[in-house]
Each structure stands twice: as structure tokens, then as C-alpha cells.
Amino acid sequence: MDLLLTEFLGKPMWMWLLFVTVVIALLVFDLGVLNKDDHEIGIAESLKLSAMYITLGLAFSGFIYWSMGGEATAQYLTAFIVEKTLAMDNIFVIALIFSFFAIPREYQHRVLFWGILGVILLRGIMIGLGATIVENYHWVLYLFALFLIFTGIKMLFASDDHTDMADNKALKWLRRRIRVTDELHGHAFTVKLPDPKTGKLVRWATPLLLALIVIEVADLVFAVDSVPAVFTITTDPYLVYTSNIFAILGLRALYFALAAILHRFAYLKYALSILLIFIGSKIFIADLMGWEKFPPAWSLGITFVILTIGVVVSLVKTRGQAPEPLPFGENRS
């Protein structure tokens, strides 16, 4: 019992164990029940899964309210919404990766499922380090804020040109160092095949494993934006981590519904840019106004308004437009 009450990163151990238990149960239910057989996930199934994960993420705010109060709840919801929206960029990159490696839709969920396990671990490490740094060097928050403002301004004027996966440095590095098959072998990440030089059976990676690794690297890059963004909303590691993971858990399900209609959110990029600038500027506004912190309820409301305007403008401006083909019209492995 004493162990459950022991504090870890500012919260009793039982709160962390409760969250981890919920996440593990969701992952087991997802892979062991909903997707125990390889199959192509359609838009209807994707939307149902997304609705389930979003509902659970929002429902967790009830536990936050019960255990931590209203201010923490507003911070959690703001962080959850921001992380969920920033994940939109991940979806397009994931679509590029799957197209480049010619991953059939029936195997894409398997890659994304195992990818989320890496994300949970990597985000935990980044948030743990970030929390320690912020606790000991509070001025780092100002660096995070300036970085977000810079990123938001850069996004406003960034080109919409697609990235060529063939130029990806991580991919080139991997191909130079590991044996990769030219084709898929079912849903296997690795297979044993003869070495062309010796004839001995050796372990080969399949394109499925390369896609998984590149997706993990891409998430690590996106985390450089999203983790500082959440830390400027709240410095509580529990709120930062739980909002991050709940937002990302539903990303896999949401991918299958949104990958086909991403063109309808063409103007959301500008809303995201403004949102990052707003989040980064909050700490400076609070200092100028003499506030201890920017009011969490205001932050949640302004975030909702910015994103709502971005979605509405996107849907209106892109009405009737056909989706653009991915940069790789012909799949390559």
C-alpha cells in the first residue's frame, strides 16, 4: 500500500499505474480482439475506432477533474486537443511512408500498432527528461515558447512541396547497414533467407520493418514540436504524458479515415501555425499582465476557436475538390 502512495514525478504511483493499466487494456483489446486477423480497415470501422479513442481520452478528463480539480482538467483538455491536431501532419507523413514501401492496407494497422508501443516509450523518456529540466531550469520554458513561435511563423510561410522519401537520411542509413528483402513476406517484420554470398540462412528485414522504423523516426521529429507545446500549456508530467498518449492512441484508427480526405483540411496548416504562435506567446502575455499563468479556461477556449475556424475554412474552400494523388503514384519497395 505504501508503494501505491509513493510519489513519482509529482503524482502517487497508483495514478500512474491506473493510466498504464488502461493503456495496456486498450492495446490488448485492439490487437487481440478487434484486429487479431489482418484485414483492411475501412472508413466506417476507422471512424468508430476513432470515436471510441476520442471518447475515452475525453472521459479521462473526468478522472483528472476528480483527482486534480478544474484547472488541471482545462490544461489536460487543451493539451489533448493540441496534440490531436498536431498529429494531423503525422497522418500525411505516414501515408507517404506506406506508399513508398508499398504496404498493403491490411498490414498497415499492424505497423501502426507496434509503432505506438515505441511512441509510448519514447514520449515517456522525452517528457520525463523535459519535466526534470523544467523543474530545475524554469527559464527553459521561455526557450520552448520562442521555439514554438518560430515554428508557427515558419509553418505559415513553408512550401507545400512533398518530401521525397528516397532522400530520407534515416532510410538511407538503414539500407546501408541491414539486409532488406525486395518484397513483403506476409505481415512478418523479419524473415530467414539464404545469404546470396554464403548460402547460409540469415535474418533479413522486410519493407514492413523499415516502414515501422521510419514511422518511429518521424514521430520522434514531430515530438520535438508537440512536447514543448504541451509543456507551455502545463508543466505537470502526468498531464503532459496522459494527454499525449491518449491523443496518439487514436491516431492509428483516425489514419484510415483521414488519409483519404486530408485534402479537405488544406487550410488547417494555417490554424496550426497560429495555434503554435499563440501557445508560445502565452508565457510572455502572462508576464506582461502580471499573471501567475495564462488562465487555462481561456487557453482551452481560444484553442477551440482557432481550430474550429481552421476546419470550417478548410471544408468550405475545398468543397468539391478531388483528393491529390500521393507523390508516389506507383508504389515502390
Side-chain angles (χ1 to χ4, degrees):
M1 185 62 68
D2 290 340
L3 178 62
L4 294 178
L5 297 177
T6 302
E7 286 205 354
F8 175 71
L9 292 177
K11 291 293 178 289
M13 188 64 72
W14 70 266
M15 292 181 65
W16 289 102
L17 291 176
L18 175 65
F19 172 69
V20 171
T21 301
V22 170
V23 171
I24 292 175
L26 285 173
L27 293 176
V28 171
F29 178 70
D30 193 325
L31 188 65
V33 179
L34 298 179
N35 297 283
K36 60 180 178 179
D37 299 317
D38 294 327
H39 68 285
E40 182 175 327
I41 296 180
I43 292 179
E45 182 181 354
S46 174
L47 289 175
K48 289 178 183 177
L49 285 173
S50 299
M52 180 190 78
Y53 279 113
I54 291 172
T55 300
L56 289 172
L58 294 176
F60 194 74
S61 67
F63 170 73
I64 297 295
Y65 182 81
W66 173 78
S67 60
M68 301 175 64
E71 183 174 311
T73 304
Q75 292 173 340
Y76 167 84
L77 289 172
T78 303
F80 176 77
I81 293 171
V82 168
E83 180 62 36
K84 199 76 175 174
T85 310
L86 288 174
M88 292 286 288
D89 278 349
N90 297 47
I91 291 176
F92 179 73
V93 172
I94 290 171
L96 286 179
I97 294 170
F98 282 150
S99 177
F100 180 81
F101 288 107
I103 307 300
R105 287 180 66 87
E106 61 264 30
Y107 298 146
Q108 290 177 5
H109 181 273
R110 178 175 170 83
V111 176
L112 293 175
F113 175 86
W114 290 107
I116 194 66
L117 297 181
V119 169
I120 290 172
L121 177 61
L122 290 173
R123 291 292 176 103
I125 293 172
M126 291 184 69
I127 290 169
L129 290 174
T132 302
I133 292 171
V134 168
E135 183 179 359
N136 292 283
Y137 307 99
H138 188 266
W139 53 267
V140 171
L141 282 177
Y142 291 90
L143 294 183
F144 285 171
L146 289 172
F147 174 73
L148 292 178
I149 293 171
F150 171 78
T151 301
I153 294 172
K154 184 179 177 181
M155 283 177 62
L156 276 175
F157 302 101
S159 169
D160 289 328
D161 293 340
H162 301 309
T163 301
D164 189 345
M165 280 296 302
D167 293 330
N168 185 279
K169 293 181 179 179
L171 179 57
K172 289 181 177 180
W173 187 88
L174 285 171
R175 286 192 179 277
R176 288 196 302 266
R177 285 163 174 80
I178 61 177
R179 292 179 290 265
V180 184
T181 61
D182 293 328
E183 58 187 19
L184 293 170
H185 291 260
H187 66 206
F189 289 111
T190 64
V191 291
K192 275 193 172 183
L193 295 172
D195 188 308
K197 297 179 180 179
T198 65
K200 293 182 179 179
L201 286 178
V202 292
R203 184 69 63 179
W204 291 68
T206 69
L208 211 64
L209 180 61
L210 286 193
L212 173 61
I213 294 173
V214 175
I215 286 174
E216 293 286 6
V217 172
D219 181 78
L220 193 59
V221 173
F222 279 110
V224 174
D225 284 341
S226 63
V227 171
V230 179
F231 266 113
T232 57
I233 295 169
T234 174
T235 57
D236 188 317
Y238 190 77
L239 297 179
V240 174
Y241 190 61
T242 55
S243 61
N244 253 257
I245 300 307
F246 265 120
I248 294 170
L249 276 175
L251 174 62
R252 297 169 299 109
L254 194 60
Y255 164 80
F256 295 97
L258 292 187
I261 58 171
L262 276 177
H263 66 289
R264 296 300 309 275
F265 297 94
Y267 292 87
L268 188 59
K269 181 189 86 167
Y270 302 105
L272 285 175
S273 303
I274 295 170
L275 180 60
L276 287 178
I277 293 170
F278 162 66
I279 292 172
S281 65
K282 287 195 309 174
I283 190 170
F284 299 107
I285 294 174
D287 285 349
L288 287 174
M289 299 299 294
W291 299 336
E292 182 179 352
K293 65 173 67 175
F294 195 94
W298 291 18
S299 182
L300 177 60
I302 294 171
T303 297
F304 181 79
V305 169
I306 291 173
L307 295 179
T308 299
I309 292 173
V311 170
V312 171
V313 170
S314 293
L315 295 177
V316 170
K317 290 283 189 179
T318 61
R319 184 184 302 162
Q321 287 185 13
E324 296 181 6
L326 288 172
F328 303 102
E330 297 180 6
N331 286 335
R332 296 182 282 177
S333 60

